[in-house]
Amino acid sequence: GQQVMQIPQYQHVQEGEDFTTYCNSSTTLSNIQWYKQRPGGHPVFLIQLVKSGEVKKQKRLTFQFGEAKKNSSLHITATQTTDVGTYFCAAPSSTGNQFYFGTGTSLTVIP
Amino acid sequence: DGGITQSPKYLFRKEGQNVTLSCEQNLNHDAMYWYRQDPGQGLRLIYYSQIVNDFQKGDIAEGYSVSREKKESFPLTVTSAQKNPTAFYLCASSIDAGRGSYEQYFGPGTRLTVT
């Protein structure tokens, strides 16, 4: 099936440092979604990007969708311990019936 | 209080036994999904259903079966044919499928251990 590559797999940062995770697809995407999963929890929807070059912000989180709609990034400014968790991107199949999830980036914030 | 419920939270079974995981939603969503999560592998789709009495295989359907007799319910059976069933199983729903434009709401998950 379609693959969405996500890097890095793990990231350890000092509290206050920035963090970025990247998703890449070999095919053009109609949209891309981002989810956060806290340790021991379940994925929770963060945002959906639809337009080429789109940038959306949620407080310290900035989401970008590439101009070619083949890549996306999530950037967190000045990380806090509450940011700990695994961040997943998810892209729909060509039919839109299902989503393919990236492997996730596990973020650890060292206080 | 709307949402998705999965039960039980932890499940232990002996090898060779079939086991059914429950998933119920009261969000009035048409589409429901089952994912399997293993460390370092993200979420992989097992089965999905866009409408009652219809379901489709995902990427890793072998050894699993589902039913969708009611809109609210989408139980997953892990059969003895599944070679490596120990995993974290997540159920999700969305308003609609077919356009990939809707967020998915996830249940709390069931952690299955087979020994």
Side-chain angles (χ1 to χ4, degrees), chain A residues 83-105:
Chain A
D83 296 325
V84 165
T86 301
Y87 294 85
F88 293 97
C89 59
S93 62
S94 55
T95 59
N97 290 340
Q98 61 186 83
F99 272 87
Y100 293 100
F101 281 76
T103 49
T105 297

Side-chain angles (χ1 to χ4, degrees), chain A residues 8 11 13 17-21 74-77 79 87 105 107:
Chain A
Q11 185 83 57
V13 299
E17 290 182 338
D18 292 357
F19 159 79
T20 305
T21 174
L74 158 59
H75 179 82
I76 302 178
T77 304
T79 54
Y87 294 85
T105 297
L107 173 62

Side-chain angles (χ1 to χ4, degrees), chain B residues 70-87:
Chain B
K70 299 187 299 182
K71 188 175 185 177
E72 304 79 28
S73 179
F74 191 40
L76 172 74
T77 297
V78 184
T79 75
S80 56
Q82 168 50 232
K83 291 186 170 63
N84 187 17
T86 295

